[in-house]
Amino acid sequence: VKDKGGKNYGMYTPDMTVRLEELMELEQAMRRALHNQEFQLYYQPQVSLRDNKLIGVEALIRWHRPAQGMVSPGDFIPLAEETGLIIPLGEWVLRQACIQACRWKQAGHPAFRVAVNISPLQFRQQALAEQVLTLLQEYELEPSWLELEITESVIMQDTAAALTTLNRLKQHQVHVSLDDFGTGYSSLSYLKHFKVDMIKVDQAFVKDVSQDQDDATIISAIIAMAGKLGMKVIAEGVETQHQYDFLREEGCDYIQGYLIGRPMPAEQFDAWLEQWQAACPN
Ligand code: C2E
Ligand code: CA
Ligand code: CA
Ligand code: CA
């Protein structure tokens, strides 16, 4: 950007100054929030289409800002990734999920997986696998209590490091699932070497399955492919009975979505589970 006098101001514009200040302010607020315990995990149920039994929950972070109210993760996770704050934040999420799993285990529940979203930066950390294994030990959890959700960008950005982490986790029976499947730009060939346990069909495909034959075809193809690769399939964002029926018909393994339950605090989830089990005994 040049002014009339020909002086070079680089790429700097007043607009960007405002945005940068806002971002720095948000980052500071996030640091304080971590310290002040303003973050909380919500849990959303995942059930089997075969027998409607609970198979897991996805842990989803929430931020209660004292003055602003609830901030959605879409509004701060990307910045946390940019600034590196996702590392301490992600550690907090992992620990919190293990603490909650430990409570559920002690309450006598048979193991169900607590799925934790792991950001690309976090998955590439050499220490991640050890960190996870240490947490499992610390909270006396079998690996069947945990699942890590990654996106395909993890694989694309540093395949070697990602493979090392994946294999280390696999060795110890910690499951990994591939989130937002079908929305990235990568080729499918990576699935050959990167043997995840489960594929999560993105909600974009599920959304229009009733009206859009193409989306229905894509979902069917993903289910068929995953089955042949020995991977489970879970569909996200299931909101209607019609979507449920379609997915069941197509042989999808599991579902997650508002039709079954919204993300909720742990205490509310306990009440949900009691009702769910009473409503469908097997
Ligand atoms: P995601 O991993 O794809 O999570 C699924 C999102 O879909 C969640 O949004 C969930 O509330 C929403 N959802 C679930 N069922 C339905 C449904 O039936 N209909 C619709 N329309 N939406 C549904 P949420 O909680 O706002 O999270 C947004 C994203 O933020 C997540 O997308 C994930 O990428 C990220 N995120 C959330 N928690 C964490 C975390 O602890 N760590 C990291 N790294 N990322 C997180
Ligand atoms: Ca996820
Ligand atoms: Ca997803
Ligand atoms: Ca997503």
Side-chain angles (χ1 to χ4, degrees):
V1 182
K2 286 185 175 181
D3 73 359
K4 288 187 201 109
K7 266 182 272 161
N8 199 333
Y9 288 91
M11 293 301 290
Y12 227 76
T13 65
D15 261 14
M16 288 174 71
T17 312
V18 172
R19 177 162 153 76
L20 190 63
E21 272 165 15
E22 268 174 25
L23 288 179
M24 283 165 67
E25 146 68 26
L26 186 61
E27 192 199 347
Q28 277 309 311
M30 264 192 275
R31 284 186 195 284
R32 284 194 302 271
L34 199 52
H35 186 256
N36 296 340
Q37 295 175 310
E38 291 166 20
F39 292 108
Q40 184 186 5
L41 290 188
Y42 275 33
Y43 300 91
Q44 185 177 33
Q46 304 174 328
V47 301
S48 168
L49 279 172
R50 191 164 50 83
D51 56 11
N52 287 317
K53 282 212 174 104
L54 180 83
I55 59 111
V57 294
E58 179 175 3
L60 293 157
I61 197 168
R62 298 291 179 262
W63 180 10
H64 304 277
R65 286 192 81 170
Q68 282 97 329
M70 186 94 99
V71 191
S72 104
D75 293 335
F76 63 89
I77 290 290
L79 181 65
E81 276 170 7
E82 247 176 81
T83 57
L85 198 65
I86 194 70
I87 298 299
L89 189 61
E91 277 178 29
W92 179 87
V93 170
L94 260 173
R95 179 174 293 276
Q96 216 50 43
C98 287
I99 290 171
Q100 186 54 54
C102 180
R103 286 194 192 119
W104 280 321
K105 181 181 171 176
Q106 284 176 346
H109 292 289
F112 55 85
R113 294 187 188 280
V114 180
V116 176
N117 290 284
I118 305 291
S119 88
L121 186 62
Q122 207 185 348
F123 199 79
R124 285 203 302 275
Q125 302 280 303
Q126 282 299 305
L128 179 80
E130 296 314 317
Q131 204 182 89
V132 166
L133 298 175
T134 305
L135 280 171
L136 289 178
Q137 263 185 351
E138 193 175 334
Y139 294 100
E140 296 178 3
L141 292 167
E142 291 73 32
S144 52
W145 278 99
L146 196 64
E147 175 135 342
L148 305 184
E149 295 193 4
I150 57 171
T151 55
E152 55 192 61
S153 62
V154 167
I155 311 166
M156 304 320 292
Q157 285 168 19
D158 189 346
T159 315
L163 253 181
T164 305
T165 303
L166 180 76
N167 289 332
R168 184 100 179 91
L169 292 166
K170 264 185 115 60
Q171 255 174 16
H172 290 86
Q173 286 87 43
V174 178
H175 277 202
V176 174
S177 61
L178 204 49
D179 205 358
D180 304 339
F181 188 77
T183 60
Y185 294 96
S186 57
S187 91
L188 288 175
S189 63
Y190 69 82
L191 284 177
K192 228 175 104 179
H193 310 285
F194 213 85
K195 291 218 179 312
V196 293
D197 299 280
M198 184 156 79
I199 283 173
K200 298 196 80 177
V201 178
D202 193 74
Q203 48 193 63
F205 299 111
V206 176
K207 192 166 181 281
D208 297 323
V209 88
S210 319
Q211 305 92 274
D212 190 330
Q213 184 54 47
D214 290 346
D215 283 341
T217 303
I218 288 169
I219 292 185
S220 306
I222 293 174
I223 293 170
M225 181 189 68
K228 286 186 178 145
L229 290 171
M231 297 165 182
K232 297 283 186 198
V233 182
I234 184 166
E236 287 193 88
V238 178
E239 294 182 354
T240 70
Q241 187 62 41
H242 188 281
Q243 293 165 343
Y244 178 101
D245 293 339
F246 170 82
L247 291 161
R248 198 186 156 120
E249 191 69 24
E250 292 298 313
C252 183
D253 297 292
Y254 312 128
I255 53 163
Q256 175 182 345
Y258 296 165
L259 181 68
I260 307 302
R262 294 197 170 239
M264 49 199 142
E267 315 80 63
Q268 206 179 317
F269 172 81
D270 291 340
W272 174 90
L273 184 55
E274 212 163 292
Q275 278 196 339
W276 182 260
Q277 285 169 337
C280 50
N282 297 306

